[in-house]
Amino acid sequence: MSEGYPSDWGSRRKEVYRRDDFTCQNCGAVGGPRGDAELHAHHIVPKSKGGTHNTSNLKTLCKDCHDAIHGNSVAPTADSARPSETSSQAQLQFPLNESRFPYSVADEISCGNQIANTYELVNGVIEAIEELNELFETAQSLPADKESDRLSRKIDETVTELDDHLQSLYSELSTFDEEISWTDSKSTISRYNDFQKAGVELQVVVEEYRATLENLSAGPKDEDLRATLVDLKLLADDLDAALEDYTEKSEALINRLYGEIASELDRIDSNTTSITPITPDSCPVCTGETTVIRRSIEVTNHSYTLLRCTECDTEWTIDLQNLTVSSGPEGLVGVSMAPTVWKRGANKGFSLPEDLDEFNKLSEIYEREKKRLLGAVAIGQVGILIGSYVLGSVLLWVIGTVLLVSAARGLFTWRLDRVLGGSSSFLSGLLK
């Protein structure tokens, strides 16, 4: 701890952050579990002028504003762009509505939402502990024979409230720990490593604290009460340290999740088009119905078009040439093929990921036939250009080009039906 600061300075500044809703009181930058701004607790009346460390003399500032006040830079304002908020991630805020986002960021959103939920529980625990500590100080200041029934009832009520918060927090942490343990992804486990360790340590302290609370609830309200309150006071310091460590680790993880979500949204937004090509009617993974969805996320200025299965977690990004798996079974993410290949493979009854080789064969045939067609069209176009030049007729070139494109379309469809399977005639290809 820095010289001149109280031993509980860490707890005090965290209390100020919560009081100010993790928002810089100068420019409005958001930190903590809701943003990525680095927060500082600023003394309103400077220490050098007699200002105290009481929370009433503290307010939340972001690092930029705090540095500016102390003469190190120019403070931003609520209307100015902060250097740390140049990306869309600064505009995201948990909890997020999963239905508005692609499946490929579902895990990140679920994780962030759950952390936000535990953070609310952490705040409830801290507030209840502070209230219990005040009651403890009151009980300590009174002679044993002067403790009132009202004080005892208030202690009981606070203990019950605190135990409920601790039980909910322990349950939430246990569920989160199990979900992380189930994953097979080494990268996912690595992402949660520091946070998980802090969560496990917090679970241990919470369990010990709850056991002491049970003794307080079951024991007589005399000397045992005082002894138990002393134990709780000592455990409160351990719990406060564990809560602070958990909060710091969760803030770091949340900022990382914001970045990963924003990066994935950038990638999808830049690789999709609003033009919808032919798409498979059924999902090649589960045979469920597919649907094209269009979404806009105003706060991050992203928009995208995706092909989504309504029954499983498979999704494709849609561009002008291909459908690319952006979310789905392991080994399929990143697989990209022409919409016609996906559709014809599904119509043939091929299933993914088992029949991925069959889809690849269809894709090779498709690409080979497309190259042949483009070569034929190029030769035809040269012939039309020469003929129209010799005859001096621009109209002949226009008509010839339109007929060539129409014929090429019908020929390509007919050829694909021959080599990939199907029953379309050359005429139906022209009319598609």
Side-chain angles (χ1 to χ4, degrees):
M1 183 65 60
S2 300
E3 184 178 355
Y5 283 80
S7 59
D8 63 344
W9 172 249
S11 300
R12 294 193 190 193
R13 62 184 178 84
K14 293 287 185 180
E15 180 182 345
V16 172
Y17 297 162
R18 290 192 298 273
R19 182 198 67 194
D20 295 338
D21 199 24
F22 299 94
T23 302
C24 175
Q25 300 302 291
N26 180 53
C27 71
V30 179
R34 299 176 45 238
D36 64 352
E38 180 181 337
L39 300 180
H40 291 185
H42 170 66
H43 291 80
I44 300 172
V45 178
K47 299 191 299 294
S48 60
K49 296 183 179 180
T52 69
H53 296 295
N54 294 335
T55 55
S56 60
N57 188 47
L58 300 173
K59 69 176 180 178
T60 302
L61 292 178
C62 67
K63 182 181 184 301
D64 293 341
C65 291
H66 201 209
D67 287 346
I69 288 176
H70 291 286
N72 297 325
S73 63
V74 178
T77 66
D79 297 325
S80 65
R82 294 174 47 81
S84 60
E85 295 184 351
T86 55
S87 70
S88 58
Q89 71 183 75
Q91 302 175 39
L92 294 171
Q93 178 178 319
F94 291 118
L96 297 171
N97 184 352
E98 292 185 45
S99 65
R100 298 296 304 169
F101 292 82
Y103 286 154
S104 56
V105 295
D107 289 343
E108 287 80 0
I109 292 176
S110 176
C111 174
N113 288 348
Q114 196 162 0
I115 292 177
N117 185 42
T118 62
Y119 213 83
E120 293 297 324
L121 295 173
V122 166
N123 289 340
V125 168
I126 292 175
E127 291 172 2
I129 288 177
E130 290 174 350
E131 183 176 359
L132 190 60
N133 285 339
E134 292 177 0
L135 294 173
F136 164 74
E137 292 175 359
T138 301
Q140 289 289 89
S141 66
L142 296 175
D145 57 347
K146 296 295 184 179
E147 292 180 9
S148 65
D149 291 338
R150 182 177 180 182
L151 177 60
S152 296
R153 287 196 302 271
K154 184 61 177 177
I155 290 175
D156 286 340
E157 292 172 1
T158 306
V159 166
T160 300
E161 179 185 358
L162 177 56
D163 187 62
D164 289 341
H165 286 309
L166 289 170
Q167 186 174 5
S168 298
L169 178 59
Y170 186 90
S171 176
E172 196 75 21
L173 291 171
S174 299
T175 302
F176 203 3
D177 189 39
E178 290 173 2
E179 290 179 355
I180 294 174
S181 300
W182 287 340
T183 181
D184 294 328
S185 172
K186 293 183 179 180
S187 61
T188 299
I189 294 176
S190 174
R191 172 203 291 163
Y192 299 137
N193 192 39
D194 290 342
F195 171 78
Q196 187 181 19
K197 287 181 180 178
V200 170
E201 292 174 2
L202 180 56
Q203 283 179 268
V204 172
V205 179
V206 165
E207 194 170 25
E208 186 176 358
Y209 198 96
R210 288 193 66 211
T212 307
L213 283 180
E214 291 178 4
N215 294 335
L216 179 61
S217 300
K221 305 297 185 289
D222 48 28
E223 294 181 0
D224 289 341
L225 169 63
R226 292 173 176 270
T228 304
L229 285 174
V230 170
D231 290 340
L232 283 176
K233 180 66 174 177
L234 295 174
L235 281 172
D237 294 336
D238 294 337
L239 183 57
D240 184 65
L243 287 170
E244 184 168 348
D245 184 50
Y246 174 82
T247 300
E248 291 177 357
K249 296 302 190 298
S250 66
E251 289 175 3
L253 177 56
I254 280 178
N255 288 333
R256 179 172 179 176
L257 294 174
Y258 282 146
E260 292 177 0
I261 292 171
S263 177
E264 178 66 5
L265 290 176
D266 289 339
R267 185 191 68 81
I268 290 178
D269 192 359
S270 63
N271 287 282
T272 60
T273 177
S274 59
I275 301 175
T276 305
I278 299 173
T279 58
D281 300 320
S282 60
C283 174
V285 175
C286 70
T287 69
E289 183 180 350
T290 62
T291 182
V292 175
I293 62 165
R294 293 177 174 85
R295 292 283 188 271
S296 294
I297 303 175
E298 291 79 7
V299 295
T300 61
N301 197 30
H302 286 103
S303 60
Y304 56 87
T305 303
L306 295 169
L307 178 67
R308 172 178 291 179
C309 175
T310 58
E311 298 183 20
C312 72
D313 293 336
T314 306
E315 243 176 16
W316 293 261
T317 57
I318 301 174
D319 62 29
L320 293 175
Q321 299 292 329
N322 295 310
L323 298 179
T324 304
V325 180
S326 59
S327 176
E330 186 175 358
L332 285 184
V333 176
V335 174
S336 181
M337 297 181 191
T340 298
V341 175
W342 289 114
K343 183 176 181 67
R344 289 175 183 268
N347 292 343
K348 283 176 170 289
F350 294 158
S351 178
L352 291 172
E354 292 83 3
D355 297 326
L356 179 58
D357 288 342
E358 298 298 329
F359 275 92
N360 286 331
K361 290 177 183 177
L362 292 181
S363 183
E364 291 173 2
I365 295 173
Y366 175 86
E367 294 298 330
R368 183 187 68 211
E369 295 299 324
K370 184 172 73 171
K371 289 179 181 178
R372 289 178 176 177
L373 176 69
L374 291 176
V377 169
I379 294 173
Q381 185 64 44
V382 170
I384 294 173
L385 184 61
I386 293 174
S388 60
Y389 177 77
V390 171
L391 297 176
S393 174
V394 176
L395 180 61
L396 176 62
W397 177 80
V398 173
I399 295 175
T401 299
V402 171
L403 292 176
L404 177 63
V405 171
S406 299
R409 182 177 180 180
L411 179 62
F412 188 50
T413 302
W414 172 79
R415 181 60 183 170
L416 286 179
D417 288 337
R418 291 290 302 273
V419 296
L420 299 183
S423 57
S424 297
S425 65
F426 178 75
L427 180 59
S428 67
L430 288 172
L431 299 177
K432 283 185 179 180

